[in-house]
Amino acid sequence: MYERVQGITSKIEINFRNTSIVIIREGAFLDLPQLYLYKNQLENYDQFWFYKTPVLQSINLGQNRLRKIRGGAFINLPSIEYLWLYDNEIEFVDKDAFKGLTNLSILQLSGNKLKCFDFNFYASSKLVAVSVNNNNITYISYETLDVIRRKLKILEVEDNPLQCACLDKRKCPKLGAAVCTFPKTKPSQCLERSDDDFQEGFWVSFARDEENLLKIEEFVN
């Protein structure tokens, strides 16, 4: 069991799976290509965990207790290709959270508490697959869909309560098996809405489907 981590370096990978890590010191990780921190108790992510890690290609922070991802959170990690943030408690992701990740190809955000899917996907990035299965997303703007349609090969949004009016598969055929829901007002319009526009008790997480989490992993392999 590790409660704190500091001063770790490796030329292959670091794997701290299921080790009850709570705190990671600034500059804890030095010059490593892959980092696995899933199944721990981390509540916050800090870009300053990393010091001189120009070749870091993969970070797995799944199954922790993260609640938010701030703007520019990974800006000092330009080599990242695979970013796994599934099964946390993430309610907020800044639009510019993934700024600087020009090599990012796979983004896994399934099993969180996101209500909005509105990230900036930069033209220079190599992103091809995003999963936001099993969140609380009700709205995806047409502007975002237009970018997704041109850029991504895979977009997974299963088990999200998307407004029925937003499920325009002509705009984006990759939306898949989202749950169709009706808001209280103007149900025929696809709009960004407040919590009050849905029935009381609406904001509950859907049952997780482990098969959905495997889809992007299979795509990587």
Side-chain angles (χ1 to χ4, degrees):
M1 174 178 175
Y2 300 84
E3 292 187 353
R4 300 182 180 184
V5 175
Q6 60 186 34
I8 303 296
T9 183
S10 172
K11 295 297 183 181
I12 304 175
E13 66 178 44
I14 296 295
N15 192 331
F16 282 117
R17 173 189 177 187
N18 198 20
T19 48
S20 301
I21 294 172
V22 177
I23 298 173
I24 296 178
R25 298 293 190 188
E26 183 174 327
F29 302 114
L30 318 173
D31 192 24
L32 67 160
Q34 298 181 65
L35 176 63
Y36 300 96
L37 286 167
Y38 57 101
K39 289 189 177 180
N40 283 289
Q41 299 179 33
L42 296 168
E43 296 184 1
N44 299 291
Y45 166 82
D46 191 335
Q47 62 178 308
F48 297 109
W49 292 348
F50 303 94
Y51 177 71
K52 293 184 179 180
T53 51
V55 297
L56 184 60
Q57 297 177 334
S58 177
I59 302 178
N60 191 328
L61 287 163
Q63 295 177 280
N64 278 281
R65 299 177 180 176
L66 303 180
R67 293 184 174 87
K68 64 175 65 175
I69 306 295
R70 302 180 187 278
F74 306 95
I75 200 165
N76 60 341
L77 302 171
S79 296
I80 292 293
E81 297 179 19
Y82 310 117
L83 182 56
W84 311 92
L85 298 166
Y86 61 89
D87 285 1
N88 276 279
E89 300 173 13
I90 299 171
E91 296 180 331
F92 172 76
V93 176
D94 188 274
K95 286 186 177 183
D96 292 321
F98 310 113
K99 184 176 182 179
L101 292 181
T102 54
N103 288 293
L104 183 65
S105 61
I106 307 295
L107 175 60
Q108 173 57 277
L109 277 162
S110 294
N112 282 290
K113 299 179 180 179
L114 293 172
K115 296 180 182 180
C116 179
F117 182 81
D118 189 16
F119 315 140
N120 286 330
F121 295 113
Y122 295 90
S124 59
S125 76
K126 299 176 181 177
L127 197 64
V128 294
V130 174
S131 178
V132 287
N133 289 340
N134 191 234
N135 277 272
N136 289 323
I137 296 169
T138 67
Y139 172 78
I140 302 177
S141 71
Y142 281 124
E143 291 78 12
T144 299
L145 288 179
D146 283 340
V147 173
I148 289 169
R149 186 160 49 92
R150 294 192 303 268
K151 196 169 191 60
L152 299 184
K153 292 182 180 178
I154 296 176
L155 171 64
E156 296 179 347
V157 294
E158 283 88 348
D159 293 326
N160 277 283
L162 279 167
Q163 299 168 53
C164 298
C166 296
L167 289 176
D168 186 346
K169 295 187 179 181
R170 293 170 298 173
K171 295 286 287 185
C172 186
K174 306 180 185 70
L175 283 178
V179 179
C180 181
T181 60
F182 289 95
K184 294 178 183 177
T185 61
K186 300 180 180 178
S188 63
Q189 297 182 33
C190 180
L191 304 171
E192 190 167 7
R193 302 174 185 272
S194 68
D195 293 1
D196 294 337
D197 209 5
F198 296 92
Q199 298 295 330
E200 185 177 353
F202 176 80
W203 297 112
V204 294
S205 295
F206 292 89
R208 291 176 178 170
D209 183 349
E210 295 297 330
E211 292 182 1
N212 285 337
L213 290 178
L214 294 175
K215 289 181 182 178
I216 284 187
E217 293 176 5
E218 292 170 356
F219 180 80
V220 173
N221 296 326

